[in-house]
Amino acid sequence: NTRNACVARSYLMTGLTPIYAASLVGVHIEKGDSAQLAQHLIEMTVADLFKTLPQERATSAELDRIEREREGAFDKEACNLVLLLCYLYNFDLAHCSLIYDIIR
C-alpha cells in the first residue's frame, strides 16, 4: 500500500516517495487505462490531503509551530501527501490544473 509506505506521520519520506511514484507510474503505463490505477491513486491522495489539512490547521492554531517542532509533535502527513502528489505531477500522471486547484 503506497499510503502506508510513503505517508509517514513522523518524518518526510523524500527518499522513498519518488521510487514508489515511479513504480506506480510504470504499472499504470504497462496496464493502460483499463486498470484505472492512476485515477484511484490521485483520488485517494487528494482525499487524504483534504482530510489532513483541516486537522493540521487546527493543531497549528493551538500550538506554536516552533514549540511543536521542538517537542517532535510536528505532523508531516500533509507534507508527504503533497510530495507524493508533486511526484505524480512530475511523472505526468496528474495534470497541472489539479495542482493549481489544490494550491488555491
Side-chain angles (χ1 to χ4, degrees):
N1 189 336
T2 305
R3 176 144 171 54
N4 293 338
C6 293
V7 183
R9 299 192 89 165
S10 57
Y11 49 92
L12 286 173
M13 302 294 288
T14 56
L16 191 60
T17 303
I19 296 168
Y20 266 86
S23 300
L24 291 168
V25 169
V27 169
H28 171 73
I29 290 171
E30 187 67 29
K31 292 292 183 179
D33 284 337
S34 63
Q36 296 181 350
L37 175 67
Q39 294 88 340
H40 178 72
L41 180 64
I42 291 171
E43 180 182 351
M44 290 296 113
T45 304
V46 172
D48 288 343
L49 180 63
F50 283 145
K51 286 179 198 171
T52 306
L53 283 177
Q55 295 169 356
E56 182 65 28
R57 289 181 182 143
T59 307
S60 67
E62 294 173 8
L63 298 172
D64 186 37
R65 182 183 178 122
I66 297 170
E67 182 179 317
R68 285 185 13 225
E69 286 178 354
R70 185 179 53 216
E71 294 175 2
F74 185 62
D75 190 18
K76 295 192 172 58
E77 186 176 2
C79 296
N80 286 327
L81 287 167
V82 170
L83 183 66
L84 179 61
L85 199 58
C86 288
Y87 276 111
L88 293 177
Y89 168 73
N90 283 339
F91 291 129
D92 289 332
L93 213 57
H95 195 265
C96 64
S97 62
L98 174 68
I99 305 297
Y100 293 149
D101 287 342
I102 291 172
I103 291 172
R104 287 186 217 150

